[in-house]
Amino acid sequence: MPPLALAAPVLSRQADPVRVATERLARALPARADAAVLVDLLEDDLREGLDALGDVEAHFAELLSTLRTGPLSPVSLVNAGDDLRVVERLDYLHDVVLQLRKRLAQAAAMARQAPSTRTR
């Protein structure tokens, strides 16, 4: 296998800020199964939260586009603002933020049990 083929997964893993962050957290926690599960769940929550945030951002971009270039009729304005999906994504984002808060509190409790040299 060519050397670049071996390097590509490492480079993509390093370029993934969620992976980098959760791997750093994993090193700061005790080497236990419950800590590994917690880190996996936290990684999933981060990815899902960022995905929901992207949907909300896309909604705002569409609103800006409509207001800058689209027809500004009463119907088009109401239609631009009437996106039930973005409201659902905001509700979901709220739930994810609360879940992240809970998981980070659990990680903090576990980190107190880990040797202090593992935090870097």
Side-chain angles (χ1 to χ4, degrees), residues 2 10 12 30 32-33 40 44 55 60 64-65 71 75 81 86 93 97 102 105-106 109-110 112 117:
V10 173
S12 65
R32 302 185 333 217
D40 287 344
D44 289 345
D55 291 342
F60 277 88
L64 285 173
S65 176
V75 171
V86 77
L93 187 58
V97 168
K102 176 184 161 189
Q106 291 172 324
M110 285 182 187
R112 278 185 261 171
T117 59

Side-chain angles (χ1 to χ4, degrees), residues 41-43 45-46 49 95-105:
L41 292 172
L42 191 120
E43 182 177 353
D45 288 342
L46 284 169
D95 293 342
V96 170
V97 168
L98 293 177
Q99 193 66 262
L100 283 166
R101 183 178 183 193
K102 176 184 161 189
R103 294 195 203 289
L104 289 170

Side-chain angles (χ1 to χ4, degrees), residues 40-74:
D40 287 344
L41 292 172
L42 191 120
E43 182 177 353
D44 289 345
D45 288 342
L46 284 169
R47 291 187 191 287
E48 290 174 11
L50 288 168
D51 186 51
L53 194 56
D55 291 342
V56 172
E57 182 180 21
H59 171 72
F60 277 88
E62 288 173 21
L63 286 176
L64 285 173
S65 176
T66 297
L67 292 172
R68 289 186 318 181
T69 62
L72 297 178
S73 69

